[in-house]
């Protein structure tokens, strides 16, 4: 199929959510209806089948000779994702890699190559820095550590209450690097944070980058990367008619999608973005891709041809191993992802993601109706389907209206919520009482910088319904009250009295 038709195929536009559920039926036993833990979707059966079938032939996706035509799936996915984000597909390029961490690592390495083209031979200049945001994924710092920049040279800008980046703080961080005479290799913006699905305005970030490049007379242009490994899938809503709303999403979900679309439109201004198909693309682990607006940026990573010659027998074939970090890279996930994306299409992704948003709203409603002073949803500004539940000891004054400026109170409730989660995780329950949620150590940060611990409910399961959302709340509250009965008035919570 022509990649220009990806996400527009007749198969996708005709399928209903019920049919999508049947495609995912192979994994329903693993992903129980009460499974709402982190960003772990059930992989589509079509994707799983393709992955298994192609894996039998062991295609190594670093050479055209060893992977043959399976590598065309990588090129097709790259063009399709470029088009989805608003890049010119004839100019863009993309590369499958081993996870979201690797997409950030590739972006930063390209940025280093722009700032210091000879870094591979001479080593990285001291002080070379990356600027990101405070709630960004820890993989940003990990990439800086692995690349030799050092975690101290990853500068975190402040975040706003909705976890988007404070762009005034980001500019100040960039200026601080440049004022010290150091290289600013890469600026990373939020493209859908793990918590709250916050997306930055990349048009503003790029404008700021260009202004600083001119002001400081830089002989290079710092690379701007959009960390969209979670948020990329919502790009399929950019051309969805939210006013007519043909899929019939509820007003709260339309409002969320409107905010997401407004920001995601700006991803086209970034120099690159990352995707984790195994997160919001309903693919099995591991399937990730980094997409460059200018595909020639990958050539900045090219190894010395003399060193690589023994590995590549056909110099005219597509040989991504000349610039990939990996020298072993399965092409099976490339083919499986390409087939999976065509099967779901834009309509399929819209239905699945919209369903997740709808059930999150349902869960919030059931928490409000049933939890009373036991628990509250504390991320009202979330753009995505995650729901963070802050849990309180019996008769705790913070349950009425928690003061997040009171550090002692925040720490007390953090401890209680953590202890509750640990206890719940250790229970061995019959099927009729089981449920699975996560815990986040930082749903957001208080004005004083204190992390806020919460239980995290995140369901991408198409089987998770309004009634399941209610039942999950009921089971959670039952477990909490058992915990409270077994741990009355412990020292850890005495400050509440």
């Amino acid at each position: 199929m022509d990649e220009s038709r990806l996400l527009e195929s007749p198969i996708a536009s005709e399928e209903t959510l019920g049919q999508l559920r049947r495609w995912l039926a192979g994994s329903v036993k693993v992903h129980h209806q009460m499974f709402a833990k982190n960003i772990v979707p059930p992989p589509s059966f079509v994707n799983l089948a393709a992955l298994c079938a192609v894996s039998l032939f062991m295609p190594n996706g670093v050479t055209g000779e060893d992977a043959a035509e399976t590598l065309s799936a990588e090129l097709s996915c790259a063009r399709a994702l470029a088009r989805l984000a608003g890049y010119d597909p004839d100019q863009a390029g993309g590369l499958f890699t081993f996870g979201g961490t690797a997409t950030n690592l590739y972006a930063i390495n390209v940025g280093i190559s722009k700032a210091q083209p000879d870094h591979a031979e001479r080593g990285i200049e001291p002080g070379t820095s990356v600027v990101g945001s405070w709630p960004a994924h820890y993989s940003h710092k990990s990439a800086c550590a692995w690349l030799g920049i050092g975690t101290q040279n990853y500068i975190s800008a402040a975040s706003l209450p909705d976890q988007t980046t404070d762009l005034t703080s980001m500019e100040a961080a960039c200026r601080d690097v440049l004022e010290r005479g150091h290289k600013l290799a890469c600026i990373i913006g939020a493209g859908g944070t793990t918590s709250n699905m916050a997306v930055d305005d990349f048009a503003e970030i790029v404008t700021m980058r260009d202004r600083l490049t001119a002001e400081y007379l830089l002989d290079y242009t710092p690379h701007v990367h959009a960390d969209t490994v979670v948020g990329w899938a919502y790009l399929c809503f950019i051309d969805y008619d939210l006013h007519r709303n043909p899929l019939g999403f509820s007003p709260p979900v339309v409002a969320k999608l409107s905010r997401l679309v407004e920001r995601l439109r700006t991803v086209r201004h970034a120099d690159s973005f990352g995707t984790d198909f195994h997160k919001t693309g309903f693919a099995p682990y591991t399937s990730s891709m980094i997409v460059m607006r200018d595909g020639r940026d990958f050539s900045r990573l090219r190894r010395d041809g003399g060193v690589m010659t023994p590995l590549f027998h056909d110099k005219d074939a597509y040989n991504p191993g000349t610039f990939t970090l990996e020298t072993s890279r399965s092409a099976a996930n490339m083919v499986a992802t390409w087939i999976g994306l065509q099967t779901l299409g834009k309509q399929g992704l819209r239905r699945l993601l919209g369903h997740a948003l709808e059930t999150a709203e349902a869960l919030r409603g059931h928490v409000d109706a049933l939890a009373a002073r036991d628990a509250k949803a504390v991320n009202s500004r979330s753009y995505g389907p995650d729901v963070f539940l802050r849990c309180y000891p019996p008769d705790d004054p913070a349950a009425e209206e928690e003061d997040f400026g009171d550090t002692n109170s925040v720490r007390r409730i953090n401890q209680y919520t953590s202890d509750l989660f640990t206890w719940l995780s250790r229970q061995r329950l019959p099927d009729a009482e089981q449920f699975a949620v996560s815990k986040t150590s930082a749903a957001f940060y208080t004005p004083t910088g204190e992390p806020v611990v919460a239980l995290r409910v995140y369901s991408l399961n198409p089987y998770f319904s309004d009634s399941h959302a209610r039942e999950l709340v009921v089971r959670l509250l039952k477990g909490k009250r058992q915990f409270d009965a077994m741990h009355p008035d412990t020292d850890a919570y005495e400050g509440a009295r």
Side-chain angles (χ1 to χ4, degrees):
M1 178 182 287
D2 179 2
E3 66 273 359
S4 67
R5 297 293 295 166
L6 175 66
L7 307 178
E8 300 287 1
S9 68
I11 294 175
S13 62
E14 295 296 325
E15 299 299 342
T16 64
L17 184 56
Q19 288 170 310
L20 290 172
R21 286 174 175 164
R22 287 195 291 275
W23 289 338
L24 295 163
S27 58
V28 68
K29 290 183 180 178
V30 176
H31 288 268
H32 191 272
Q33 286 139 331
M34 292 296 126
F35 185 95
K37 194 169 186 176
N38 212 330
I39 311 174
V40 186
S44 76
F45 185 76
V46 169
N47 199 310
L48 284 168
L51 183 69
C52 293
V54 180
S55 292
L56 292 173
F57 299 96
M58 290 289 286
N60 187 0
V62 298
T63 73
E65 181 160 323
D66 293 339
E69 287 301 311
T70 57
L71 278 176
S72 65
E74 178 168 60
L75 300 173
S76 295
C77 282
R79 288 178 60 87
L81 268 291
R83 183 177 287 105
L84 197 65
Y87 289 176
D88 181 345
D90 294 324
Q91 299 296 321
L95 188 72
F96 274 86
T97 188
F98 59 82
T101 296
T103 64
N104 294 319
L105 187 148
Y106 270 100
I108 294 171
N109 204 19
V110 166
I112 295 170
S113 298
K114 291 179 177 180
Q116 188 194 340
D118 62 351
H119 79 95
E121 296 76 31
R122 292 201 307 113
I124 297 172
E125 292 181 6
T128 297
S129 299
V130 173
V131 172
S133 61
W134 186 252
H137 195 270
Y138 63 84
S139 64
H140 295 190
K141 284 189 176 181
S142 296
C144 289
W146 282 97
L147 288 167
I149 291 176
T151 57
Q152 290 184 345
N153 291 315
Y154 177 81
I155 316 299
S156 297
S159 63
L160 299 172
D162 65 356
Q163 291 204 324
T164 57
T165 307
D166 183 335
L167 298 187
T168 300
S169 176
M170 176 173 270
E171 179 168 347
C174 293
R175 285 185 178 277
D176 182 60
V177 171
L178 298 173
E179 288 288 347
R180 289 184 278 119
H182 293 159
K183 301 284 190 181
L184 176 57
C186 190
I187 303 170
I188 306 180
T193 50
T194 306
S195 302
N196 292 320
M197 198 65 72
V199 181
D200 288 335
D201 187 326
F202 288 93
E204 290 191 15
I205 292 175
V206 168
T207 297
M208 178 267 288
R209 184 272 312 269
D210 292 343
R211 184 173 63 251
L212 295 180
T213 300
E215 182 179 336
Y216 286 89
L217 303 176
L218 302 181
D219 60 358
Y220 66 96
T221 303
H223 189 83
V224 172
H225 178 63
D227 186 5
T228 55
V229 295
V230 179
W232 71 271
Y234 293 87
L235 291 166
C236 70
F237 284 103
I238 284 181
D239 59 354
Y240 177 73
D241 189 338
L242 289 166
H243 295 290
R244 194 165 63 87
N245 188 23
L247 295 179
F249 298 125
S250 66
V253 168
V254 170
K256 283 189 174 185
L257 290 172
S258 296
R259 289 192 297 166
L260 272 174
V261 165
E262 180 184 357
R263 287 295 179 84
L264 286 171
R265 288 185 192 280
T266 70
V267 169
R268 70 182 186 273
H269 297 287
D271 296 313
S272 61
F273 68 95
T275 68
D276 275 0
F277 299 108
H278 55 253
K279 284 191 170 73
T280 41
F282 298 86
Y285 283 115
T286 304
S287 187
S288 300
M289 172 172 268
I290 179 167
V291 183
M292 296 282 175
R293 187 157 52 87
D294 185 347
R296 293 173 297 182
D297 279 344
F298 284 120
S299 67
R300 299 175 184 274
L301 308 178
R302 190 172 296 277
R303 297 181 179 90
D304 179 81
V307 174
M308 302 301 294
T309 298
L311 289 176
F312 302 110
H313 311 293
D314 182 358
K315 66 180 178 65
D316 297 320
Y318 171 52
N319 293 315
T322 58
F323 53 84
T324 60
L325 169 64
E326 303 94 331
T327 50
S328 296
R329 197 173 68 110
S330 174
N333 66 307
M334 303 174 192
V335 176
T337 299
W338 175 230
I339 291 174
L341 287 174
Q342 289 183 89
T343 303
L344 291 177
K346 278 186 181 179
Q347 284 292 80
L349 281 174
R350 287 168 179 166
R351 289 179 181 274
L352 288 167
L353 296 173
H355 177 75
L357 292 172
E358 292 287 3
T359 52
E361 290 303 307
L363 190 135
R364 289 176 185 275
H366 293 309
V367 169
D368 289 343
L370 302 174
R373 294 168 61 90
D374 285 302
K376 287 186 178 180
V378 293
N379 61 329
S380 59
R381 301 187 184 189
S382 173
Y383 290 66
D386 48 341
V387 180
F388 291 146
L389 300 179
R390 187 80 160 157
C391 298
Y392 303 97
D395 303 319
D396 194 292
E400 189 66 34
E401 185 172 354
E402 187 170 359
D403 179 5
F404 290 107
D406 183 340
T407 299
N408 289 333
S409 174
V410 169
R411 290 178 178 175
R412 183 182 73 250
I413 306 305
N414 282 354
Q415 186 64 55
Y416 173 82
T417 302
S418 295
D419 291 347
L420 170 63
F421 177 78
T422 299
W423 184 84
L424 290 171
S425 300
R426 292 174 177 169
Q427 304 310 299
R428 296 294 178 262
L429 302 173
D431 287 347
E433 299 177 27
Q434 286 183 1
F435 64 95
V437 298
S438 306
K439 186 193 81 172
T440 176
S441 58
F444 57 90
Y445 292 88
T446 69
T448 60
E450 199 71 26
V452 174
V453 174
L455 300 188
R456 183 183 193 197
V457 185
Y458 200 124
S459 178
L460 289 171
N461 192 334
Y463 294 91
F464 191 72
S465 65
D466 181 294
S467 62
H468 294 125
R470 186 183 189 283
E471 181 62 23
L472 188 149
V473 173
V474 169
R475 295 185 190 184
L476 172 61
L477 292 175
K478 179 181 178 182
K480 179 189 178 299
R481 287 159 188 163
Q482 289 175 351
F483 171 80
D484 290 338
M486 295 174 65
H487 302 83
D489 301 325
T490 60
D491 293 341
Y493 322 122
E494 279 298 319
R497 306 297 173 225

